[in-house]
């Protein structure tokens, strides 16, 4: 199994990063422009996973990791899964089932939501009068469905693995963003006439961040290839990728704030945005211990 991206994949990865840097900078995640979603559709990322596009899972993982690096709208995750496994196209909000309601993320202008509901991947209709508000993750909005709407379940287990893989890719991108942000700040901020990155304690923190991100990305690549190849242990590798990616995003988010010091927790700074996104992602298609601890097939 070759885990090295080919030239076409690397070109697509670079193009995604360049576009996001120019049109969707992380620093503007608190207030994304109204016309962002049509631009994402125009670039092809909303429907890139549709069967007609014939795009493989490794390429999807590469692209979504870059989108995750810039805290792209989480509805891209649900829209991508919907494009491959349902009849819906366009924007599909992300659903997260709670104890007595269903939370909807990025539901503006969406008529359906998709997510893990009652242990299955399913979709629900969204009420036209569903009120949205800012969530803890400042880059996305949240709404609630108080009633128990009928759920249209996707019976193919690959749909759940697909969502879990893409969420893991978003988490890997989030871990990368926190790592880069910390390293950049460590070269700019000075104490005792030296950049703080010169001091050994900060070097160790940034090195650990780099290792966590690299390990999570490696497992993501392997899981994507295993899922594409239909390997019998694909579910284990996708779940492992989600677990490692979640942990890398959370730990790197915390370390990033530590490197920034007190300023990292303020609204003016961006480090807290990565940590808040990491907390949200860990609840989406979470890694289940029973899958990781199951006997090999």
């Amino acid at each position: 199994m070759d885990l090295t991206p080919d030239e076409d994949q690397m070109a697509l990865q670079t193009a995604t990063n360049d576009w996001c840097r120019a049109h969707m900078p992380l620093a503007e995640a608190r207030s994304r422009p109204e016309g962002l979603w049509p631009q994402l559709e125009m670039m092809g990322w909303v429907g890139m996973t549709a069967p007609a596009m014939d795009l493989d899972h490794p390429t999807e993982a590469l692209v979504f990791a870059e989108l995750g690096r810039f805290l792209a709208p989480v509805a891209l995750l649900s829209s991508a899964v919907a494009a491959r496994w349902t009849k819906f196209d366009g924007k599909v909000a992300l659903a997260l089932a709670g104890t007595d309601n269903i939370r909807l993320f990025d539901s503006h202008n969406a008529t359906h939501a998709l997510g893990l509901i009652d242990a299955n991947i399913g979709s629900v209709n969204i009420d036209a009068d569903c009120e949205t508000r800012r969530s803890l993750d400042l880059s996305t909005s949240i709404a609630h469905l108080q009633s128990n709407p009928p759920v249209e379940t996707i019976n193919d287990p690959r749909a759940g693995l697909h969502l879990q893989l893409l969420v893991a890719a978003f988490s890997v991108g989030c871990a990368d963003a926190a790592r880069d942000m910390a390293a950049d700040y460590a070269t700019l901020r000075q104490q005792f006439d030296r950049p703080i990155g010169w001091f050994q304690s900060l070097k160790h923190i940034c090195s650990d961040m780099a290792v966590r991100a690299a390990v999570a990305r490696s497992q993501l690549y392997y899981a994507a290839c295993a899922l594409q190849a239909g390997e019998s242990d694909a579910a284990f590798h996708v779940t492992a990728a989600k677990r490692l990616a979640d942990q890398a995003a959370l730990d790197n988010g915390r370390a990033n704030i530590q490197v920034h010091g007190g300023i990292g927790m303020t609204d003016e700074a961006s480090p807290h945005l990565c940590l808040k996104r990491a907390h949200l992602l860990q609840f989406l298609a979470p890694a289940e211990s029973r899958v990781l601890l199951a006997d090999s097939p």
Side-chain angles (χ1 to χ4, degrees):
M1 185 181 295
D2 186 2
L3 302 182
T4 305
D6 59 31
E7 291 185 2
D8 290 340
Q9 290 173 325
M10 293 180 65
L12 186 55
Q13 183 182 31
T14 301
T16 303
N17 184 286
D18 290 344
W19 188 92
C20 290
R21 195 175 301 277
H23 298 88
M24 195 173 60
L26 190 151
E28 298 178 4
R30 301 172 187 82
S31 56
R32 294 275 163 75
E34 287 289 333
L36 177 62
W37 190 265
Q39 293 182 59
L40 294 171
E41 290 183 322
M42 188 179 302
M43 292 300 296
W45 289 312
V46 176
M48 67 180 293
T49 60
M53 299 298 292
D54 197 28
L55 197 68
D56 58 28
H57 290 306
T59 305
E60 290 175 11
L62 284 170
V63 171
F64 272 77
E66 292 307 309
L67 292 169
R69 187 192 294 260
F70 295 90
L71 307 190
V74 293
L76 281 173
L77 300 168
S78 45
S79 298
V81 176
R84 184 180 288 262
W85 303 101
T86 74
K87 62 182 182 297
F88 306 126
D89 55 8
K91 185 175 185 179
V92 176
L94 183 65
L96 178 63
T99 55
D100 57 354
N101 59 32
I102 296 177
R103 298 172 179 85
L104 307 175
F105 295 94
D106 280 343
S107 60
H108 181 64
N109 289 337
T111 58
H112 297 82
L114 177 144
L116 189 64
I117 304 173
D118 296 331
N120 294 303
I121 296 294
S123 61
V124 295
N125 294 332
I126 298 177
D127 299 332
D129 58 349
C130 194
E131 183 179 356
T132 63
R133 57 183 175 83
R134 185 68 63 90
S135 72
L136 175 65
D137 176 0
L138 300 179
S139 64
T140 187
S141 63
I142 187 172
H144 292 83
L145 290 178
Q146 300 297 340
S147 59
N148 293 317
V151 178
E152 186 174 344
T153 302
I154 302 174
N155 294 319
D156 196 321
R158 292 175 298 175
L161 294 177
H162 188 201
L163 177 60
Q164 196 170 48
L165 180 74
L166 296 184
V167 179
F170 257 37
S171 291
V172 167
C174 188
D176 285 343
R179 175 204 60 204
D180 294 344
M181 200 182 300
D184 289 344
Y185 188 76
T187 63
L188 294 175
R189 180 77 166 90
Q190 293 198 358
Q191 285 289 343
F192 308 109
D193 296 325
R194 290 186 175 91
I196 61 174
W198 184 88
F199 299 102
Q200 192 174 44
S201 59
L202 271 298
K203 288 180 182 179
H204 288 173
I205 292 175
C206 292
S207 296
D208 288 343
M209 295 173 75
V211 170
R212 281 191 291 264
V215 169
R217 184 174 285 272
S218 296
Q219 181 60 34
L220 175 70
Y221 288 175
Y222 193 93
C225 291
L227 184 60
Q228 181 65 33
E231 300 287 349
S232 58
D233 57 353
F236 168 83
H237 288 296
V238 172
T239 304
K242 182 64 166 60
R243 176 65 61 85
L244 288 171
D246 284 347
Q247 198 62 54
L250 286 168
D251 289 347
N252 280 11
R254 296 185 182 110
N256 185 25
I257 291 178
Q258 184 178 359
V259 170
H260 279 76
I263 190 65
M265 295 180 288
T266 66
D267 189 64
E268 290 79 5
S270 299
H272 66 101
L273 298 176
C274 294
L275 183 58
K276 290 173 180 176
R277 169 57 69 90
H279 276 292
L280 171 60
L281 293 175
Q282 70 172 327
F283 291 106
L284 306 178
E288 296 186 31
S289 297
R290 64 173 182 83
V291 179
L292 295 173
L293 299 176
D295 294 334
S296 300

